């Protein structure tokens, strides 16, 4: 049965022992996020996700969001659940107190996001986009704009969207052609078409605040000529009430492989007038920089989707493997069918899922932790280092977790055998839903280029080398009981360090570096995942050695040790198989023409 | 655009230079399959697949097969195309001449199947099942049964099905409970329900011949008590015309992730009577052995699906990558958007697909080649060796090619970016369709157990070691120009040999062997794929050295060399990352309980 239980123990273990929340609450800014309060918050969020949202998932998949007379109808259950979401304030967790937010660390907000996404990925996308818009506007909008929009967006009463993509401008955002003409009253008239706009139109909120990239007259070509505009669905009256309808319309919805309940819109600006009314955010031609500001947050949010959908599919596979009986297990009586979880190969699939899930949770939570420190630490040097760490981890979170999301939901289907291929079972939906995440918010190929092209060069390479040294130091400090893990992790870090050296040595032939980007990202993330699991294992061993395991059972801690060892000895070694393709260079890739590749 | 071109050059290259058809036509039995005849046949089949069948693929996906008043309606276009398929005799290629078949080698028939499957996987499944039924009946049915059914099944005028699975008997076929009671007239009365019956009911043929596993009264438990029955949809009159309707009915169709146009039926036997009328095939309680006889053929057929769907998706991705322009390529002018095929990361995706496709074609065609020799070689010792080789290769073909089918169709989506996730593009269908193949005809986990549990022990292990020695000898004989390939392949064979030794050394703790089965299968197949590509490279190099490239262009042969080198240097090394999980044993898999794995 496709139910969902919030993995609160696993989440709490990471927040207490792997990327400690206590390091954040030690800061003045975040002192209020004390551990009991957070524990209560997460429990409540877990209950809401599991009991209220999770049951809407399959229904939403079947019902779809639909375009009816120019309006988007979301599934019936979404309206009810979204109302509860707003009333409980789940959208406000990470936002500043001055606009009614909870001012919790991103690390905590992301734990809430993880659970809501597991419960219903299609549902979670609306709030995700609103959060991104709030994040951007909190940092870059004028006081007046903030006063006008933010409180209601923080509460979730109003929604936000991101409008970047156009037919000719996908990964190549600089090719944007949507126009913005200054009007006499200081506003702008926006004309053009945007595609793939998630929740571009819907019936969950009274107002939708679109953030739109467009080009001013005489702007320079490319990304340096893009400006950012607020284009509200309804113009705002001076008293803060909603005024006339703005000239922004949904033209059509995409029919997609998955996330059926999430409306993916083609949006038309200014089709019935001289343009939709927009307000400039920040400076002219500075739109791309502002967008980049929210990109870490958004990309990490998509990385969380890989984790979240894997967790959901894993739980379903585990339940099925416990119930379904086929064949004899190692200890079953003749003529008796054993639960398939007793078969070694099924166990391999389940442990592979669970170990990767723990590794993804470690990575993404560490990523959020770094962003929190980068924003709130009192010392500039620490903020700077942590921002760089977050910048380095973000492409790993986004690409690795979303690739794994596809791979692990596929494994969950496989555990189900024939039942997995039947839509009623529900596990195929996770596989279909998961498949978008490697594509949007910067394809995983773009993430890999970002890693090797932008992040590795930080401090002339010294930064990434420092991170590898930090991992090495932690490996050396692992307790003796974790020697299997330490040995494999040390070898993997060495391999990663060597390929990193190779990339630096070839930086003058940039295409050789780009050619190895994707396998390099996979290597790097696999090592960071192993590092996080090693930290978890060390903490578990420490608690066991102390004889005081606190709120965690001995069984739970032993499982953490097993999962870390399984990962280190059976999954981590894949890095050695990937290294040769990182350092192969571009020659063979370009040794064939398109004609030679054709049938 | 989702069109399909038959890869005739690639197929012909394999048949001429990698697994030479000439070795088959040298045999008396197969002397008639001369190369010009085969070339013409394949061209004609390629034309039919590309022009007639391929255009029905998306339509079928949208239209589905539907259950209407107890009858299954296949998509409209299927009826027209199936008629053409029968008229041209495409279903008869591999079957014996005495029933109107073409008596071509399986290797040739499989090339035809590959193209028809690429064109429309849902369509291809009906013929696949009929072929399996004919294969079984040719070898095991009585003369009378053969006379009654085979000619019309060979021509395709009648269809065949395989009825094994029941709700409690999936991988565990021995749990079958469908009953067969002897009747006074020498026939049997079959009662029970079967699930997941592909093309169990449809409107493409007048008659459907069901092969059904059922249990006689007092049969021993498990697989040793299963008997095989022919249960025709319409009883046969003595004059060979169709008589009364038999009591076999379709109860419902599954709603599946993909292969929507292929009706997956729940079948009820004997619900409205004392049983459906069935005829025993072969001896009582011998049904499982008869089924095994056709399993190599059927499993290889499913392996071909992985190849075929990858080829289709690859062609679409390649076309898109040539058309779609985004960003600057290594050589493009400022301000100019390059076709994305110019980007290194997109090239990596395309070459990965193409190299694996060539490797899969090498493996599956070698598998068919071995089956042909096993059936037709005059010397018993050769037949025996080739049957063992085919037995060894079959789980590799089935599992590896179908896993790759999912992975490569996923890559094809990724090449498309956002367009890949939109159903209209068509590439998402390939991904959905591909996902069934790792499940049916023995899950890929079952294939891995078959490999380590049944195939490795042949001749006390001497057989598999001999195969590895054969590969080593071919590696050593590679020309100097292929030294990169030789070096990597030799290292991979060594790694495979070591893990094989480990498996033999642990045969007394069988669960340790089973625990490593899946990664071992992946290793083994990856090496065999590299071996086939090395053979292709050596042949290409030889033709180039000779200065007489025959009907192949120099460009084509150079591409084969590049693809083999790319595979050997960048994909094959993954075996080194897999080896540790083969030899890890079962301990960690069983160190956690189901409760410890739960959230």
């Amino acid at each position: 049965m496709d139910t969902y239980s919030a993995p609160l123990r696993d989440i709490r273990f990471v927040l207490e022992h792997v990327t400690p929340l206590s390091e954040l609450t030690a800061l003045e800014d975040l002192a209020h996020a004390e551990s009991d309060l957070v524990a209560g918050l997460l429990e409540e969020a877990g209950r809401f996700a599991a009991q209220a949202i999770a049951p809407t998932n399959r229904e939403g998949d079947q019902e779809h969001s639909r375009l009816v007379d120019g309006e988007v109808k979301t599934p019936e259950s979404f309206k009810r659940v979204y109302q509860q979401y707003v009333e409980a304030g789940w959208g406000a967790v990470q936002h500043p107190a001055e606009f009614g937010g909870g001012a919790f660390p991103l690390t905590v907000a992301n734990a809430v996001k993880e659970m809501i996404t597991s419960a219903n990925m299609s549902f979670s996308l609306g709030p995700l986009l609103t959060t991104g818009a709030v994040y951007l506007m909190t940092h870059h909008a004028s006081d007046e704009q903030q006063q006008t929009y933010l409180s209601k967006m923080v509460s979730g009463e109003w929604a936000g969207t991101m409008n970047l993509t156009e037919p000719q401008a996908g990964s190549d955002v600089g090719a944007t052609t949507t126009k913005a003409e200054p009007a006499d009253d200081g506003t702008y008239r926006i004309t053009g078409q945007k595609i793939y706009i998630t929740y571009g139109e819907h019936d969950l909120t009274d107002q939708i605040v679109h953030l739109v990239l467009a080009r001013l007259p005489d702007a320079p070509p490319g990304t340096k000529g893009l400006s950012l505009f607020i284009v509200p669905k309804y113009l705002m009256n001076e008293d803060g009430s909603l005024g006339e309808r703005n000239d922004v319309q949904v033209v059509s919805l995409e029919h997609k492989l998955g996330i059926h309940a999430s409306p993916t819109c083609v949006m038309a600006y200014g089709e019935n007038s001289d343009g939709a009314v927009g307000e400039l955010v920040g400076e002219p031609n500075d739109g791309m920089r502002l967008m980049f500001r929210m990109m870490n947050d958004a990309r990490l949010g998509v990385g969380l989707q890989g984790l979240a959908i894997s967790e959901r599919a894993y739980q379903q596979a585990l339940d099925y493997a416990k119930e379904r009986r086929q064949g004899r297990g190692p200890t079953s009586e003749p003529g008796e069918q054993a639960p398939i979880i007793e078969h070694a190969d099924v166990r391999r699939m389940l442990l592979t899922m669970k170990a990767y899930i723990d590794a993804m949770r470690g990575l993404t939570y560490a990523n959020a932790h770094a962003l929190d420190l980068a924003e709130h630490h009192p010392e500039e040097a620490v903020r700077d280092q942590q921002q760089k760490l977050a910048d380095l981890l973000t492409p790993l979170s986004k690409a690795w977790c979303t690739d794994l999301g596809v791979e692990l939901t596929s494994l969950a289907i496989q555990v189900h055998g024939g039942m997995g291929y039947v839509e009623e079972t529900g596990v195929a939906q996770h596989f279909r839903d998961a498949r978008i995440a490697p594509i949007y918010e910067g394809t995983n190929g773009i993430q890999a280029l970002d890693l090797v092209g932008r992040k590795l060069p930080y401090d002339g390479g010294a930064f990434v080398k420092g991170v590898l040294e930090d991992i090495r130091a932690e490996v050396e400090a692992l307790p003796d009981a974790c020697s299997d893990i330490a040995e494999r992790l040390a070898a993997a870090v060495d391999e990663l360090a060597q390929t990193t050296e190779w990339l630096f040595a070839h930086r003058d032939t940039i295409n050789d570096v780009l050619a190895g980007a994707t396998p390099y990202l996979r290597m790097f993330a696999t090592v960071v995942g192993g590092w996080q699991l090693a930290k978890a294992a060390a903490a578990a061993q420490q608690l066991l050695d102390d004889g005081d395991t606190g709120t965690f059972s001995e069984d739970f801690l032993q499982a953490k040790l097993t999962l870390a060892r399984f990962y280190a000895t059976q999954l981590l070694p894949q890095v050695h198989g990937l290294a040769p393709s990182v350092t192969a260079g571009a020659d063979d890739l370009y040794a064939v023409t398109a004609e030679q590749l054709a049938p």
Side-chain angles (χ1 to χ4, degrees), chain A:
Chain A
M1 252 255 296
D2 182 21
T3 56
Y4 168 68
S5 304
L8 289 167
R9 260 194 323 181
D10 289 314
I11 290 174
R12 205 157 47 76
F13 185 72
V14 174
L15 293 183
E16 289 180 24
H17 296 291
V18 185
T19 54
L21 194 62
S22 56
E23 289 177 16
L24 302 178
T25 52
L27 309 177
E28 201 187 325
D29 272 12
L30 298 172
H32 60 284
E34 51 169 76
S35 95
D36 284 355
L37 184 67
V38 167
L41 180 88
L42 294 179
E43 261 182 51
E44 193 54 45
R47 199 160 24 233
F48 178 62
Q51 295 176 6
I53 306 184
T56 67
N57 192 46
R58 178 153 164 69
E59 192 180 318
D61 183 58
Q62 294 178 288
E63 210 173 314
H64 290 226
S65 278
R66 295 180 192 281
L67 184 60
V68 183
D69 300 332
E71 307 282 327
V72 171
K73 305 284 176 205
T74 58
E76 271 313 307
S77 59
F78 278 34
K79 298 186 228 328
R80 172 174 46 80
V81 172
Y82 189 78
Q83 205 49 45
Q84 294 170 19
Y85 173 91
V86 171
E87 279 161 20
W90 292 119
V93 175
Q94 80 189 62
H95 297 307
E98 73 172 295
F99 302 108
F104 279 93
L106 185 62
T107 313
V108 173
N110 275 4
V112 174
K113 279 184 222 166
E114 181 206 313
M115 295 187 280
I116 288 176
T117 307
S118 289
N120 188 332
M121 181 165 151
S122 282
F123 176 84
S124 77
L125 292 173
L128 181 77
L129 271 293
T130 302
T131 297
V134 169
Y135 189 88
L136 193 153
M137 290 171 67
T138 314
H139 289 87
H140 299 296
S142 69
D143 284 350
E144 197 186 327
Q145 288 165 340
Q146 293 184 348
Q147 293 307 325
T148 306
Y149 296 107
L150 278 183
S151 294
K152 294 216 164 186
M153 292 174 76
V154 165
S155 72
E157 288 166 90
W158 293 355
T161 73
M162 293 289 164
N163 289 241
L164 284 77
T165 305
E166 300 176 9
Q168 78 295 344
S171 297
D172 191 356
V173 185
T176 295
T177 59
T178 293
K179 287 198 186 74
E181 293 275 348
D184 297 338
D185 61 356
T187 64
Y188 295 80
R189 296 293 169 272
I190 314 291
T191 51
Q193 211 174 68
K194 294 285 181 178
I195 62 170
Y196 301 146
I197 307 308
T198 300
Y199 277 84
E201 174 59 35
H202 59 82
D203 54 4
L204 297 178
T205 58
D206 296 332
Q207 171 73 302
I208 302 174
V209 181
H210 302 289
L211 293 179
V212 184
L213 276 186
R215 204 174 278 288
L216 289 166
D218 308 321
T223 52
K224 287 173 185 150
L226 297 177
S227 305
L228 184 70
F229 299 88
I230 292 172
V231 183
K233 178 175 171 184
Y234 292 97
L235 299 178
M236 298 298 300
N237 293 326
E238 297 230 337
D239 65 356
S241 64
L242 299 182
E244 269 179 61
R245 187 74 162 75
N246 202 354
D247 186 12
V248 45
Q249 313 285 346
V250 56
V251 175
S252 62
L253 299 187
E254 305 295 349
H255 302 99
K256 308 185 299 293
L257 173 60
I259 52 167
H260 289 157
S262 166
T264 303
C265 304
V266 175
M267 303 296 294
Y269 288 86
E271 243 178 26
N272 306 310
S273 64
D274 59 343
V277 176
E279 309 168 35
L280 182 67
V281 182
E283 297 299 312
N285 300 331
D286 200 26
M288 205 56 197
R289 192 181 65 85
L290 309 194
M291 279 286 177
F292 265 114
R293 176 76 201 222
M294 58 132 253
M295 237 170 232
N296 273 337
D297 188 60
R299 290 180 168 181
L300 174 54
V302 174
L304 278 174
Q305 291 170 3
L307 161 63
I309 198 94
S310 299
E311 170 75 38
R312 175 78 181 245
Y314 163 70
Q315 290 189 13
Q316 193 174 358
L318 178 64
D319 283 349
Y320 186 79
K322 281 155 57 179
E323 298 291 325
R324 172 71 172 165
R325 288 171 175 271
Q326 283 290 275
R328 283 181 64 183
T331 61
S332 52
E333 303 291 321
E336 182 187 85
Q337 288 184 317
I340 62 171
I341 195 173
E342 289 309 314
H343 300 304
D345 196 62
V346 174
R347 282 191 166 250
R348 169 175 297 286
M349 291 194 269
L350 293 171
L351 262 80
T352 299
M353 281 188 258
K354 178 63 174 157
Y356 273 130
I357 286 168
D358 277 6
M360 285 192 275
R361 192 172 286 121
L363 165 60
T364 51
Y365 285 37
N367 198 156
H369 186 86
L371 284 169
D372 280 323
L373 288 172
E375 180 140 3
H376 297 292
H377 201 280
E379 292 169 40
E380 189 180 342
V382 175
R383 287 200 305 273
D384 179 61
Q385 283 297 100
Q386 292 294 327
Q387 184 64 50
K388 284 177 183 156
L389 179 61
D391 290 349
L392 180 72
L393 296 180
T394 298
L396 307 184
S397 296
K398 197 283 176 180
W400 190 56
C401 296
T402 59
D403 279 343
L404 284 175
V406 177
E407 294 168 28
L408 302 188
T409 53
S410 185
L411 266 187
I413 288 180
Q414 194 67 18
V415 170
H416 283 79
M419 286 287 285
Y421 202 65
V422 173
E423 283 284 0
E424 278 83 352
T425 309
V427 68
Q429 181 191 345
H430 306 318
F431 179 64
R432 288 188 285 99
D433 288 350
R435 191 61 192 79
I436 185 58
I439 296 171
Y440 59 18
E441 204 54 48
T443 65
N444 286 358
I446 294 286
Q447 303 302 321
L449 303 188
D450 176 55
L451 174 65
V452 300
R454 283 212 185 90
K455 308 304 169 60
L456 287 196
Y458 278 5
D459 302 339
F463 181 76
V464 65
K465 286 174 194 168
V467 170
L468 297 184
E469 282 313 313
D470 290 348
I471 302 178
R472 275 207 183 93
E474 290 202 45
V475 171
E476 277 164 27
L478 284 172
D480 288 347
C482 298
S483 62
D484 284 359
I485 299 170
E487 191 190 316
R488 301 299 185 118
L489 193 50
V493 176
D494 286 347
E495 187 86 76
L496 178 62
Q498 283 161 29
T499 58
T500 306
E501 283 301 335
W502 189 95
L503 293 175
F504 281 121
H506 289 75
R507 71 192 129 189
D508 292 338
T509 51
I510 186 67
N511 226 27
D512 285 331
V513 173
L514 301 181
T518 286
Y520 179 73
L521 185 151
R522 179 104 190 185
M523 277 186 80
F524 207 139
T526 304
V527 169
V528 172
W531 172 33
Q532 299 304 314
L533 288 189
K535 287 165 75 164
Q541 188 63 52
Q542 186 65 53
L543 289 168
L544 289 166
D545 288 348
D546 291 350
D548 175 10
T549 63
T551 58
F552 299 104
S553 69
E554 201 171 305
D555 263 6
F556 174 83
L557 298 170
Q558 289 290 359
K560 289 295 172 214
L561 284 163
T562 301
L563 287 164
R565 192 169 56 239
F566 174 76
Y567 184 97
T569 57
Q570 303 206 40
L571 303 177
L572 183 60
Q574 288 170 13
V575 299
H576 305 295
L578 289 166
S581 57
V582 178
T583 58
D587 286 356
D588 275 338
L589 296 181
Y590 289 87
V592 282
T593 62
E595 290 66 41
Q596 281 175 297
L597 286 170

